[in-house]
Every structure is written in structure tokens, then in C-alpha cells.
């Protein structure tokens, strides 16, 4: 969280309202339709957008002034500065958004992502759209609902506060291994 943001990202964040961040996940290199619909959703809704992908070829050729692209930025530094995160539903991404206290729009594509999307919705911090329903008008509507609903904002803040006292998972695991080894006399 103490990591500095790149100067171009810092300038974009400082230039207006908190944007919505969009990521298809680091393993997804074929997301042109996702980013195109995301840009168009920002145009429809008036939200500023920040597109996160290392694959520039996934993006539309031209981005409007209120939408920017960055190849990489640490989520710990970025997410507290955005209004919402649109993502694939990976558990690590979902957890970081929960810790940052921001709303989430999940576009699950496989594996545990569908279950993660359901669980986030049950917490009152997200909505989800299946890839076939990820159209500009649906995305714009979902973002307006998520960012405009005070109960979503309250729930995000509440969960972030609860997670702020969470111990580092690596330390918890190391303590468990050492405790087990000690019981075995190792």
C-alpha cells in the first residue's frame, strides 16, 4: 500500500473523479471485446476509466480523454483511489478490492470465478455480468448502480475495516508449519 504510483497514473487520478478500473486478469491476452465494451460503457455513463492490461493490442486504437491505459500498477496503491473495479472474479483480485473498500463488477469466465462472483454479491459489494451479457449499456447500468448506491458503499467500507486487522497469510501459514513441526519434535 506504500508503493508509489507511476507519475502518469498519478496525474490521471488527480485530474478528476475517481475512475473505474478494468482488468481482464493477467492470464487473459484476448480481451479486445471486454476493453472495447468497457470504454463504450464509460462513454455512456460518464465514468472515467483506467484500463489495466500489459497487452496494448487488446485496446481500441483510440481512447477518449476520460479513459487511460496502464500496463501495470500495484493494486495496493491503485485500488484505494478508484470508485470500482471491473474484473474476472479471481480470488486475489476480489480480495484486494475488498481490502480497498471498493465496489466490484465481476465478469466470471471459468473455474472458481462464478462462485467468487456469487459470494461477493451475497456480501452486498458487487454485481456480475456473464461475458455474453457484458455489453456497454449493461456495464454502464451496473456501474451506476454500484457507485450510486449508499448501501453498497457502506458495505464496502465495513468489510474493508474488518479486513484491515487481518494477518498476513504468509505469516499465518509459516506459524502453522512451525507449530506442526514443533509438535512432531522437529
Amino acid at each position: 500500500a506504500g508503493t508509489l504510483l507511476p507519475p502518469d497514473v498519478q496525474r490521471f487520478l488527480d485530474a478528476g473523479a475517481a475512475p473505474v478500473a478494468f482488468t481482464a486478469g493477467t492470464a487473459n491476452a484476448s480481451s479486445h471485446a471486454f476493453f472495447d465494451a468497457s470504454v463504450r460503457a464509460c462513454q455512456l455513463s460518464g465514468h472515467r476509466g483506467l484500463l489495466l492490461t500489459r497487452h496494448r493490442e487488446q485496446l481500441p486504437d483510440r481512447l477518449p480523454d476520460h479513459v487511460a491505459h496502464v500496463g501495470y500498477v500495484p493494486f495496493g496503491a491503485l485500488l484505494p483511489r478508484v470508485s470500482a473495479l471491473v474484473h474476472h472474479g479471481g480470488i486475489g483480485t476480489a480480495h484486494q478490492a475488498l481490502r480497498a473498500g471498493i465496489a466490484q463488477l465481476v465478469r466470471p469466465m471459468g473455474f472458481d470465478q462464478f462462485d467468487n462472483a456469487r459470494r461477493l454479491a451475497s456480501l452486498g459489494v458487487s454485481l456480475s455480468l456473464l461475458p455474453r451479457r457484458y455489453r456497454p449499456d449493461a456495464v454502464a447500468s451496473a456501474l451506476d448502480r454500484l457507485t450510486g448506491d449508499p448501501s453498497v458503499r457502506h458495505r464496502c467500507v465495513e468489510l474493508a475495516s474488518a479486513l484491515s486487522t487481518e494477518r498476513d497469510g504468509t505469516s499465518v501459514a509459516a506459524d502453522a508449519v512451525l507449530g506442526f513441526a514443533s509438535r512432531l519434535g522437529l
Side-chain angles (χ1 to χ4, degrees):
T3 305
L4 294 177
L5 292 166
D8 57 332
V9 174
Q10 186 67 48
R11 278 190 298 277
F12 180 75
L13 292 171
D14 291 344
V20 174
F22 298 86
T23 178
T26 54
N28 194 334
S30 58
S31 295
H32 190 275
F34 168 77
F35 286 112
D36 185 61
S38 299
V39 169
R40 291 175 47 211
C42 287
Q43 291 173 308
L44 287 172
S45 66
H47 288 281
R48 297 173 73 230
L50 185 58
L51 310 178
L52 310 171
T53 179
R54 294 178 192 228
H55 306 282
R56 178 67 174 98
E57 65 277 5
Q58 294 181 349
L59 305 178
D61 291 334
R62 290 189 44 137
L63 296 177
D65 290 341
H66 65 285
V67 177
H69 162 250
V70 64
Y72 170 79
V73 65
F75 274 180
L78 175 67
L79 294 186
R81 301 280 314 270
V82 303
S83 62
L85 178 64
V86 180
H87 64 94
H88 58 295
I91 193 65
T93 303
H95 181 258
Q96 289 197 52
L98 285 169
R99 283 185 68 106
I102 58 171
Q104 302 177 55
L105 176 57
V106 181
R107 181 179 161 259
M109 300 190 54
F111 311 109
D112 63 335
Q113 297 168 1
F114 299 98
D115 184 54
N116 296 340
R118 280 190 293 277
R119 290 174 187 269
L120 290 166
S122 75
L123 291 172
V125 297
S126 78
L127 295 172
S128 66
L129 290 171
L130 295 175
R132 70 178 179 273
R133 300 202 189 289
Y134 195 87
R135 296 180 318 272
D137 58 333
V139 176
S141 176
L143 290 174
D144 287 344
R145 285 176 51 204
L146 286 168
T147 60
D149 185 340
S151 67
V152 171
R153 180 74 190 131
H154 173 75
R155 190 67 178 136
C156 289
V157 169
E158 186 176 59
L159 289 170
S161 177
L163 289 172
S164 70
T165 60
E166 178 182 79
R167 279 187 65 208
D168 170 49
T170 305
S171 298
V172 172
D175 289 346
V177 169
L178 290 173
F180 182 70
S182 174
R183 285 191 301 278
L184 292 176
L186 301 175

